[in-house]
Structures are given as C-alpha cells and as structure tokens.
Amino acid sequence: MEALNHFFTELGKLLWGWPMIILLLGTHIYLTIILRFPQRYIFKAIRLSVKRDKDATGDVSQFGSLATALAATIGTGNIIGVATAIALGGPGAVLWCWLTGVFGISTKYAEGLLAIKYRKKKTDGKVIGGPMFALEYGLGWKWLAVLFAIFTAIASFGIGNTVQANAIATLTHETYQVSPYITGAFICLLAGAVVLGGVKSIARVCSMLVPFMALFYVTGCIYIIGVNASYVIPAIKLICVSAFSPQAAGGGFIGTTVMMAARYGIARGLFSNESGLGSAPIVAAAAQTRNPVRQALVSSSGTFWDTVIICAMTGIVIVSSVLAYPDITFENGAVLTKVAFSKIPVVGTPLLTIGLLTFAFSTILGWCYYGERAVEYLKGKRWVIVYRVIYIAAIFIGSVMNLSIVWNLADCMNALMAIPNLISLLALSGVIVHETRKYLWRGQLDKTEEF
C-alpha cells in the first residue's frame, strides 16, 4: 500500500504540474478571447440563474442545476485549499487564484453550452449529457468519451465521498468528541435519503443547502474583515504586490518566489472551481433551458461565486488576520483559516465547523450525481441503483479509514478527467462561438431550440 500510495503521489505531481496548469489556464484565456470576454455578462448570468423556464426541456430548474454544481464545487478546498496556497506560495497566491477564477468563467460557460448542445433524451423522457456526449456525438471519439466516464466514476469515490466523509468525521471527533463510526452511519442515512431520490431530490436539497452554507460562511468572513478593517487595505496591497514581487511580503509570511506564488495560486484556483474539469456540465445538461447559451451563462456564474467571491474573501481574511495577529504562524497551512475564525469570540469555531460540515456534505451529494451519470453512460440505467448503494457504503468506509492514498488517487483521476474535457472544448470551440453568436451576440437569448 505504501508503494501504491507513493506511485499515485508522484503521478499526481506529474499530472498537476506545469503542463496541466498551462493547458488549463491557456484554455481559459483562449476561450475568453474568442468568446469576446463573456465575463462581462456575469450579472445577466446571475439574473438568469434565478429565473425558471417552466416550458423548457430538462429535468431540474437552472438554479437547481447551478446549486448542484456549486454543492460539488464549493467545499473544503475553498477554505483549507486557499490557506494551503498562501502557506506555500505566500499572499500573492491569492491574486493568482482569483485571476484563475476570472478567466475560468469562460471555460465554465463553454462547458455548459456543450452540455446542452449534445445532451440526449432517454426513453423515459429524462435528459442526460456531459463531456462524454460532446466527445462522442460532437467529435465522434467514443473511446475518449468512455475514458472520461471511467475517470469520473472512480473520482466520485475519492474527492466525491470518502475524503469528504473523512473530513466530516475527523472534524466532529476533534471538535465534539463524536465517534467516527457514529458520524459515518449518520452521514450514510442522510445521504442515502437524498441520493436515492435521484437528480430532482439532490437538486432540491442542494438548492436549499447551498445558499444557506454560502451565506453562513460569507457572514463569518465579513465579520472578520470588519474586525480587521484597518488591515484589509494593507492586505490587498500585499496580495497584489507580492504576486509579482515576493520581496515585498512581510509580517508573518514566509519567503517565496513569483513562480511559487503563481504555481500554488493557479493550481488551487483551478482545483477549487473545477472549470475545465468536466464535472459541472454533467448536471448542467439536466437543466430546464430554452437554448444552450442560457444555461452556459448560468453555469459560468458558478465559477464567479466559487472563486471570484468565496476564495477571494477567504484569502483576504487569512492575509489580514496574519497582519493583525503576529501569533499566527505557517507551521500548518491547513489550520490557517481555523486560526483566523477562532478570533471571532464564542461563535468563530462553531461557525467555521458548520460551514465545513455543510460544504463537505453537499459535495457528497453533487458528486454522487456525477458518478451516476458516468455509470449510466458506461453500463446503462440498471447499474445506477447498484452504484448508489456502493456509493453510500463508501461514505461509511471513508469516515473510519486513513485516506491518504484515496486523496492521491482522486487527484490523479481529476486530472485525467480534465484532459479529454479540455480536448473537447478546444476541438469544438468553433461550435461554441457559433452558438454564442446565434443566441447571445444577436440578442436571441429568449429563442427556444428543440433538443
């Protein structure tokens, strides 16, 4: 097991090295340019996300689709991941993470568009889609579509449920001395009650849970920023300057280089918002929408909330707290956010704990849907129930086991998911531009297209 863990550790470093970062960030920038900066439509996208197209084809509302994608995306990576990036790359990593989110909006837009463009209606009237359908029906590369589905199904048992269940069990044990076995059983019951109801059940719960957990966490961030008010502007200046001139980093920050700031900031930004990973378009395909571009805009708003807002706020909270409290050190980057929230009297630690618990649980729900659709693509609908049972059982296993090897395996599978998805985005970029011109640039967003 130790040898296997070492193998996946090294493979993960290789897959998530500079070539992958350049490919992902390059795709973000390329799509931003050819789509004429779709970021400028972000407020229109937000308005569309809360509107319901009752007569449109699809299984869940656009908001339900977005909430499910955000449920799988917003997680411990936004909280602990940003802290780790700052610890390893310095305060400048926050700016690189934020810029990755800004440009990643274009990629998330493109993914959502292709998800609707190539989705298929099943015999029971429901729809199914995702990068595997874009690869098979858009490019005719079924073999690559099968590989994407396999990587997605495997990844769902890693970052999707076992590591999230382990995070919940560890947190409740350390904070409230609850046995991981009790926590694991409780999570299984809750998750089972939701996921056995299918996509509508998952979307309904996520639609209620995501706004609550985001508002809960953001409220805590705003409070800390208010307490650290005199350090916020210096923190923002330090973030911007040290992204390009690490010698300017001061306070309690370790010495870094520009390359380190960019490396960890970009990697964390890409990993946190999943733009280019190919996961979010799987649920985007189920949305009730009139045409591909409407859902593309809604999907793009997910990256805005995830990275441009939440990750940025986390970064400002941590950097301002380090400047305000000299006792905060970088011995363990994973606890930086916890230390910052502990500065809130009485409610700080419970606030962060509840935020982490809801983030992790919602990720379990969202990734279950991704895995289901991948299994259905590979083996047919009859295997979905089998997958759900195994998925729920894996939650309990993850709660009581050491999962270092699972983390490393999940990192590898996520990278392997991204490669075929990025190929489809680049190869079908002409289709993406054509659909954007047809509906967005010509002002035809209300036009209905038959799927």
Side-chain angles (χ1 to χ4, degrees), residues 73-82 159 163-164 167-168 268 356-357 359-360 363 407:
T73 304
I74 299 177
T76 54
N78 299 77
I79 301 174
I80 297 174
V82 173
I159 195 65
V163 297
Q164 302 298 333
I168 295 173
R268 183 45 55 196
L356 282 168
L357 290 176
F359 283 165
T363 299
W407 265 111

Side-chain angles (χ1 to χ4, degrees), residues 74-143:
I74 299 177
T76 54
N78 299 77
I79 301 174
I80 297 174
V82 173
T84 304
I86 295 172
L88 296 173
V94 177
L95 179 62
W96 289 107
C97 179
W98 185 80
L99 288 173
T100 302
V102 171
F103 285 104
I105 289 173
S106 300
T107 301
K108 192 62 73 74
Y109 168 93
E111 289 179 315
L113 190 153
L114 293 181
I116 299 297
K117 179 69 177 177
Y118 294 106
R119 69 181 180 180
K120 300 296 178 182
K121 183 176 289 188
K122 299 185 292 182
T123 54
D124 60 3
K126 296 181 179 179
V127 294
I128 185 172
M132 51 278 201
F133 287 84
L135 286 163
E136 179 178 355
Y137 297 103
L139 295 171
W141 297 344
K142 185 176 176 61
W143 64 273

Side-chain angles (χ1 to χ4, degrees), residues 245-303:
S245 178
Q247 292 81 5
F253 294 101
I254 59 174
T256 61
T257 65
V258 172
M259 292 297 287
M260 289 174 65
R263 161 72 175 83
Y264 290 106
I266 293 171
R268 183 45 55 196
L270 295 171
F271 197 76
S272 69
N273 60 51
E274 296 184 8
S275 293
L277 191 63
S279 52
I282 296 176
V283 69
Q288 296 169 344
T289 187
R290 300 183 194 182
N291 57 65
V293 172
R294 285 178 74 93
Q295 181 56 35
L297 288 169
V298 172
S299 294
S300 71
S301 67
T303 299

Side-chain angles (χ1 to χ4, degrees), residues 156-167 364 394-395 397-399 403 406:
S156 71
F157 287 99
I159 195 65
N161 69 356
T162 52
V163 297
Q164 302 298 333
N166 188 265
I364 291 173
I395 293 173
I397 295 172
S399 300
L403 296 175
V406 179

